[in-house]
Amino acid sequence: MPSIKDIMQTMEYGPAPESNSEVRAWLDERAAGLGHFINGRFTAPGDDLIEVVNPATEEVIGRVPKGVAADVDAAVRAARAALPKWAALSGFERARYLYAIARHIQKRERFFAVLETMDNGKTIRETRDIDIPLVARHFYHHAGWAELVDDEFPDHTPVGVCGQIIPWNFPLLMLAWKVAPALAAGNTVVLKPADLTPMTASAFAELLVEIGLPAGVVNIVHGDGETGAAIAGHADIDKVAFTGSTDVGRVIRRQIAGSGKKLSLELGGKSPFIVLEDADLDGAVEGVVDAIWFNQGEVCCAGSRILVQEGVARRFFEKLTQRMKTLRVGDPLDKTMDIGAVVSKKQLSRIEALLETGKAEGATLNVAPVELPKRGAFCAPGFFTGTASSHTVSQVEIFGPVATTQTFRTLGEAVALANDTRYGLAASVWSENVNRAIELAARVKAGVVWINGTNMFDAAAPFGGYRESGFGREGGRSGMLEYLALPADKKGKPRPAPTLVPQVQPFTGKADLPEIDITAKLYIGGKQARADGGQSYTVIGKSGQAIGQAGLANRKDVRNAVEAAGKATGWGNVTGHNRAQVLYFLAENLSQRRAEFAAALAASGASPKAEDEVELTIRRAFWYAAQVDKFDGAVTATKSRHVTMTVNEPFGTMGIVAPDEAPLLSLLSLILPAIALGNRVVAVASQSHPLIAARLYQVLETSDIPGGVVNLLTGDRDVLARTLAEHDDVAALWYCGSEEGSAMVEKASAGNLKSTWSDNGRLRDWRDPKQGQGREFLRRACQVKTIWLPYGE
Ligand code: NAI
Ligand code: MG
């Protein structure tokens, strides 16, 4: 034992282990294996067991079954049976259960923290100070939503039975992020923890028994990817919520395409950590510690690409190297450790292989001078220098405690580097100049931006990605909406197939209406354009006669339209006031030509009450014009001394595929909310009644809508929809068509994981403002960016 004098000399830390005797006793009692938790009871563990390993000691600490289809089915049936009663409870009653969960977690914080550390390898400091307190916070916050759900979300109902699949990096926290909003909204749950870290979920299930949560409301099925696939694919699941790798997210998107299941995906990231030359460099260095060395770097939103302005780069890296020397890696139960074990030996090899790739591609790996424990899955923290955007390690998630680094000169360069990734989960910006920091926050494509901070989370702050980091948000009001449905989401009547197959023969008939432009063109980039293939198709009117021809657009026309939309970036930057004016002007111009539109609609045979449809369309334009500068983000109460802003940002280019019914009203009901929020659209007009589109572009032209903001195509709905779904520059796609078309669109959109909204071939009453108009359309037309801004010294 060193004397106090020696310690004062060396300032060495002695070991400070957290006791795990209570957890050991708990584990010993369950050594034979933990069962699934189905319908309020634990199943017998059975024979096919997965060994649960403490990655720091390589000891087996438990066993769980590998759930098979029958287990999943039993769990789904239990959740289905429990749903009506649970959904019918008052918000107050559901809130009491959630409060009870929160209270019990708090009472047992230390137990859960130690168990999580032993299962995952993360340090006790983090489980004790971050994971478990955030779990309790999440249940408290959502107890509040349960209480308020009727007031705050009128007309909404629970989605139903939710299948939830979570990863191993924050096991209990991810469970809380999934279970709390689902229960608050009145849903029931089948959740699968990661096979690497199932222990705290089982302990949580025991807690549910203790507080008397009704049987079947939460079911936990253990298992691996196959078990997860069985949950996602189960026919009686209404919603799938997944957190994990982008690859698996894509698999699930394709697997459930066309099923009508609601889906939220929280996937990988390669988040930039941007240090400007006016940053507090010491603060930024501490930021790196929390960005990439937090949780062994196994963090989806880790600041894994450090971007430093050239003038301070050398100084910054010197400081970082110094700071790295003080990091302590070792026994995660030791309260003085900064870094514990990564989750498994397999994950360690994955990390090591990527580090080798980085070196082989020419980058230099700087590692902390630490001595790693002889046993266990430990990885030395570090950072690469000499990395370029093209390097593998700059593009793929290492998911270990190593960042890449790059330098930049100007703000513009920083933005370009930051956005040079397929992901868009988070970003961290360091600058003492609030103007610059916020400018970067606005220009970075990421769902969460921390200014002078990193990896901050709160139950009230929406979290989730742009681009291939997924879609949907967890936390706060946006998170609740992922677990709620509207009447219009319920299965309506199936939509009839388009009334005619496109024909390519030249039109020889005579139009019913002499003033109709009988060879309607496409509208691309603010100009009328002939269809690329030079083809058109015959349009049949009310009396069954040909009334004109419309351009038969092809893939090339879609690409041209997307390109034109991509150039019209100014639209997202003008003020809401300006956009509102343009929308009012559009309403006014429509109104001046109401008789002409009514006549055309009547001739099309698509609208029994043509005049009403035009009138409703005008009203709708007024409604969205009114919303432009009112559909606001919010300032959310999170941590003290932070302003946390949620901003509704446009996607960029959206694809819109309009249905046949109410062809004018439905087309504009889709285009207006999208452009109101600053998106540009490539819209495919009704296949059967396309001539309305040709009239519309004359109105667009006279309404000061800049070229490229609205592009109108006509032709074969599903051919055009597929091209839009596959196009990487289309960020979101709304599709109204057939059931098969919805499946096709959802499957094809998995490439860049675009946000899709398809109606599964079900009719919606566009005339009813509750179905054809509303905040839901606006919400679907934007993505929430959460910006954290600290204040004070
Ligand atoms: P993973 O994505 O395979 O695992 C996450 C969860 O999905 C687990 O519960 C797993 O059992 C389940 N799963 C796997 N295949 C499935 C399928 N076909 N259908 C339904 N569920 C399925 O991640 P994994 O393999 O553990 O880690 C590989 C890499 O993924 C990591 O190195 C990291 O880069 C990334 N990752 C990202 C996470 C994030 O939060 N963004 C979390 C975990 C991993
Ligand atoms: Mg484990």
Side-chain angles (χ1 to χ4, degrees):
M1 185 106 172
S3 71
I4 293 178
K5 192 168 158 229
D6 292 341
I7 294 173
M8 293 302 278
Q9 290 278 311
T10 59
M11 292 303 278
E12 271 292 331
Y13 286 98
E18 176 78 32
S19 158
N20 65 353
S21 51
E22 191 197 349
V23 173
R24 280 209 170 276
W26 185 88
L27 289 168
D28 286 346
E29 277 169 35
R30 290 154 185 79
L34 288 149
H36 306 300
F37 181 65
I38 297 175
N39 205 22
R41 278 187 296 275
F42 288 91
T43 63
D47 306 326
D48 189 9
L49 296 180
I50 300 170
E51 289 195 333
V52 183
V53 176
N54 176 342
T57 60
E58 297 179 40
E59 282 172 299
V60 175
I61 58 166
R63 289 170 180 82
V64 293
K66 181 180 155 355
V68 295
D71 302 314
V72 170
D73 193 50
V76 173
R77 273 187 284 123
R80 177 62 60 192
L83 181 66
K85 263 198 180 161
W86 179 251
L89 290 184
S90 71
F92 171 65
E93 287 166 301
R94 281 203 301 273
R96 287 193 5 185
Y97 286 109
L98 288 161
Y99 277 122
I101 295 173
R103 285 294 293 140
H104 275 66
I105 296 270
Q106 273 185 323
K107 278 192 215 157
R108 236 170 285 162
E109 261 182 1
R110 221 186 65 91
F111 172 85
F112 275 109
V114 172
L115 182 59
E116 196 78 298
T117 288
M118 289 175 70
D119 193 1
N120 169 279
K122 61 169 74 190
T123 64
I124 187 73
R125 251 187 35 195
E126 288 177 7
T127 54
R128 184 195 62 196
D129 297 346
I130 297 168
D131 292 65
I132 309 303
L134 279 174
V135 170
R137 161 84 183 127
H138 220 76
F139 280 104
Y140 273 118
H141 179 77
H142 285 89
W145 280 124
E147 180 72 45
L148 300 176
V149 73
D150 291 340
D151 296 337
E152 294 290 324
F153 303 100
D155 299 332
H156 291 71
T157 53
V159 178
V161 176
C162 303
Q164 307 184 317
I165 298 157
I166 57 172
W168 41 260
N169 50 348
F170 293 89
L172 193 63
L173 184 57
M174 290 301 102
L175 175 150
W177 281 26
K178 297 279 179 289
V179 170
L183 297 197
N187 303 277
T188 56
V189 159
V190 175
L191 175 131
K192 190 193 81 64
D195 50 345
L196 290 172
T197 55
M199 301 312 274
T200 45
S202 286
F204 178 80
E206 292 182 6
L207 181 152
L208 297 181
V209 175
E210 243 171 80
I211 66 142
L213 188 77
V217 171
V218 172
N219 304 275
I220 291 171
V221 179
H222 293 290
D224 59 10
E226 272 180 53
T227 318
I231 294 175
H234 195 289
D236 204 26
I237 291 263
D238 301 302
K239 151 147 189 129
V240 178
F242 172 78
T243 299
S245 60
T246 291
D247 287 346
V248 173
R250 218 172 251 129
V251 167
I252 293 177
R253 166 69 296 180
R254 293 194 178 111
Q255 181 193 8
I256 68 167
S259 65
K261 290 172 190 167
K262 210 169 155 124
L263 176 64
S264 50
L265 295 174
E266 201 270 273
L267 308 175
K270 195 73 191 175
S271 300
F273 183 103
I274 310 168
V275 183
L276 297 188
E277 61 194 2
D278 56 17
D280 165 3
L281 291 189
D282 295 312
V285 165
E286 282 314 306
V288 172
V289 176
D290 291 335
I292 190 67
W293 297 326
F294 164 60
N295 206 39
Q296 298 71 242
E298 299 164 318
V299 183
C300 50
C301 51
S304 53
R305 288 187 296 137
I306 301 172
L307 312 175
V308 189
Q309 199 155 15
E310 229 171 62
V312 294
R314 225 194 53 192
R315 234 168 6 112
F316 180 78
F317 292 129
E318 276 167 15
K319 281 175 184 285
L320 192 60
T321 307
Q322 285 307 317
R323 179 65 177 89
M324 195 165 72
K325 286 182 187 158
T326 67
L327 293 175
R328 290 168 55 82
V329 186
D331 177 10
L333 278 174
D334 186 325
K335 284 174 268 195
T336 66
M337 287 300 160
D338 299 302
I339 296 177
V342 304
V343 73
S344 68
K345 277 275 164 92
K346 190 170 156 215
Q347 182 63 13
L348 179 63
S349 331
R350 219 190 134 261
I351 296 169
E352 285 169 348
L354 276 164
L355 299 184
E356 286 310 312
T357 305
K359 287 190 264 179
E361 288 180 0
T364 307
L365 180 61
N366 311 273
V367 285
V370 287
E371 198 182 321
L372 299 179
K374 296 280 166 296
R375 284 185 81 175
F378 291 91
C379 181
F383 62 93
F384 275 114
T385 43
T387 32
S389 295
S390 57
H391 284 154
T392 306
V393 286
S394 301
Q395 292 298 334
V396 308
E397 274 190 304
I398 296 176
F399 230 62
V402 179
T404 63
T405 58
Q406 282 172 272
T407 59
F408 62 87
R409 289 191 184 153
T410 63
L411 222 62
E413 250 177 67
V415 172
L417 283 177
N419 290 336
D420 188 9
T421 164
R422 302 169 76 93
Y423 294 113
L425 193 50
S428 183
V429 177
W430 295 79
S431 167
E432 292 297 289
N433 179 326
V434 70
N435 296 336
R436 283 202 199 122
I438 293 183
E439 179 176 358
L440 272 180
R443 290 171 68 187
V444 169
K445 292 195 162 83
V448 182
V449 184
W450 296 289
I451 292 173
N452 294 331
T454 187
N455 280 336
M456 279 180 285
F457 311 99
D458 187 80
F463 182 92
Y466 281 29
R467 308 205 219 170
E468 292 180 31
S469 293
F471 44 76
R473 293 290 178 269
E474 295 185 291
R477 182 178 291 276
S478 319
M480 280 298 289
L481 286 164
E482 299 290 334
Y483 287 95
L484 289 164
L486 283 165
D489 298 333
K490 299 279 174 238
K491 275 200 160 184
K493 287 204 190 115
R495 167 173 297 119
T499 50
L500 72 149
V501 182
Q503 297 166 4
V504 292
Q505 307 95 314
F507 177 65
T508 51
K510 212 166 158 308
D512 279 5
L513 286 166
E515 80 272 27
I516 281 188
D517 174 356
I518 55 164
T519 50
K521 297 193 186 68
L522 316 176
Y523 186 60
I524 296 176
K527 291 193 189 71
Q528 297 181 38
R530 221 172 273 286
D532 169 71
Q535 293 184 331
S536 53
Y537 67 105
T538 306
V539 181
I540 307 295
K542 188 180 176 190
S543 49
Q545 275 181 290
I547 55 168
Q549 287 219 304
L552 187 71
N554 63 16
R555 302 177 139 258
K556 178 92 191 309
D557 295 306
V558 174
R559 286 197 290 269
N560 290 343
V562 172
E563 197 183 326
K567 287 184 185 147
T569 51
W571 181 245
N573 299 328
V574 303
T575 62
H577 172 70
N578 284 345
R579 280 201 302 273
Q581 280 194 318
V582 172
L583 263 58
Y584 280 125
F585 197 18
L586 185 142
E588 201 180 307
N589 286 324
L590 260 179
S591 164
Q592 271 174 16
R593 298 171 64 169
R594 44 159 55 96
E596 173 200 330
F597 272 97
L601 275 174
S604 77
S607 196
K609 290 186 184 153
E611 275 157 27
D612 290 0
E613 184 176 333
V614 178
E615 207 53 49
L616 278 172
T617 309
I618 294 164
R619 279 215 206 168
R620 208 145 282 178
F622 265 82
W623 195 84
Y624 283 110
Q627 283 284 6
V628 169
D629 56 356
K630 294 169 196 69
F631 184 75
D632 287 331
V635 172
T636 303
T638 56
K639 289 180 189 300
S640 54
R641 293 151 77 86
H642 272 86
V643 179
T644 307
M645 299 172 271
T646 56
V647 185
N648 297 325
E649 283 200 342
F651 281 104
T653 300
M654 287 179 64
I656 286 175
V657 180
D660 277 348
E661 67 271 12
L664 175 68
L665 179 62
S666 62
L667 179 62
L668 278 173
S669 298
L670 295 163
I671 291 177
L672 289 166
I675 64 172
L677 295 189
N679 295 287
R680 293 89 69 180
V681 303
V682 176
V684 178
S686 154
Q687 177 178 325
S688 304
H689 311 292
L691 296 180
I692 262 331
R695 289 180 182 279
L696 199 57
Y697 61 62
Q698 295 158 14
V699 174
L700 297 173
E701 265 168 1
T702 49
S703 304
D704 293 346
I705 294 192
V709 172
V710 178
N711 304 278
L712 292 168
L713 303 177
T714 54
D716 184 324
R717 180 186 68 199
D718 287 352
V719 168
L720 303 177
R722 178 186 288 280
T723 310
L724 283 169
E726 286 169 351
H727 203 303
D728 275 351
D729 295 337
V730 176
L733 178 56
W734 292 354
Y735 172 84
C736 301
S738 64
E739 206 167 346
E740 307 76 61
S742 298
M744 175 272 288
V745 156
E746 289 176 358
K747 205 167 267 177
S749 72
N752 70 344
L753 283 162
K754 54 175 69 66
S755 160
T756 56
W757 188 20
S758 56
D759 68 0
N760 279 293
R762 302 289 157 162
L763 290 170
R764 175 183 284 263
D765 183 357
W766 296 97
R767 289 175 178 79
D768 176 2
K770 288 218 169 199
Q771 291 191 43
Q773 165 184 302
R775 291 177 69 84
E776 180 67 0
F777 286 80
L778 292 162
R779 190 177 80 79
R780 298 265 194 172
C782 64
Q783 42 195 349
V784 171
K785 178 184 268 184
T786 304
I787 302 173
W788 293 69
L789 181 65
Y791 57 86
E793 285 297 316

